[in-house]
Amino acid sequence: MFQDPVARERIVNWADFASATVATMRREIARRPYDNRLAALVDELRASDGDVARWWDDHAVRDYASVAKRVQHPASGPMSFDIEIVRAPHEPEQRLVVYTTEPGSPTARVLPILAGWNAAPHP
C-alpha cells in the first residue's frame, strides 16, 4: 500500500483506501500498545511518506467492515471490487477479507481470463 510505488499508480482510489488503512493502523496501535514492530512500521511510514504523516496527525480511527477498491490493471484496464471484512466474534485477531464484484460487470467478466493466465502451463 505505502512502500510499493506501483500501488499509487494502480489503485485508482489510492488516497481513500490508504487513509482508511492509516486509520485502521491507528486503531491497531491502540489495541496493541506494546507491539514494537507495529509502532516501528508506523514511525517508518510517517517519516518516509507525507500522506501517512498527515493522515496520522488527523487522529482518525477506523474499524471498517466494507470498503471499495478501484484498480487500474495494466492488461485488463479498470477493475472495481467491493471488499468486506468479516471478523469472528470470539476470535478478534482473525479476519476474513472477501473481494467481490458486481455480477456481469466488466471486472467480473475479466477475472476468469486473468485467473486463466496463471493456470496455463509454462513451456
Side-chain angles (χ1 to χ4, degrees):
M1 173 62 62
F2 301 106
Q3 297 176 328
D4 182 356
V6 176
R8 289 179 195 247
E9 297 171 16
R10 299 256 172 92
I11 301 173
V12 175
N13 60 334
W14 181 86
D16 296 333
F17 203 72
S19 67
T21 300
V22 171
T24 300
M25 288 170 49
R26 179 177 284 289
R27 183 203 69 218
E28 290 303 311
I29 285 281
R31 288 182 65 229
R32 299 180 175 94
Y34 302 107
D35 187 333
N36 294 329
R37 287 180 51 208
L38 181 56
L41 175 61
V42 169
D43 290 344
E44 176 187 341
L45 290 172
R46 288 180 68 205
S48 66
D49 190 314
D51 290 324
V52 173
R54 181 172 40 85
W55 292 322
W56 189 266
D57 292 342
D58 285 345
H59 300 284
V61 176
R62 185 163 182 190
D63 186 12
Y64 60 84
S66 300
V67 66
K69 188 173 190 179
R70 308 293 176 246
V71 176
Q72 182 64 35
H73 191 277
S76 66
M79 300 176 74
S80 296
F81 299 94
D82 292 316
I83 304 170
E84 300 296 326
I85 301 164
V86 182
R87 192 172 311 158
H90 300 295
E91 294 292 335
E93 300 302 316
Q94 188 172 4
R95 293 182 185 93
L96 175 64
V97 180
V98 181
Y99 280 64
T100 60
T101 63
E102 191 68 36
S105 68
T107 301
R109 290 192 300 272
V110 77
L111 280 176
I113 297 167
L114 294 175
W117 288 356
N118 288 332
H122 298 283

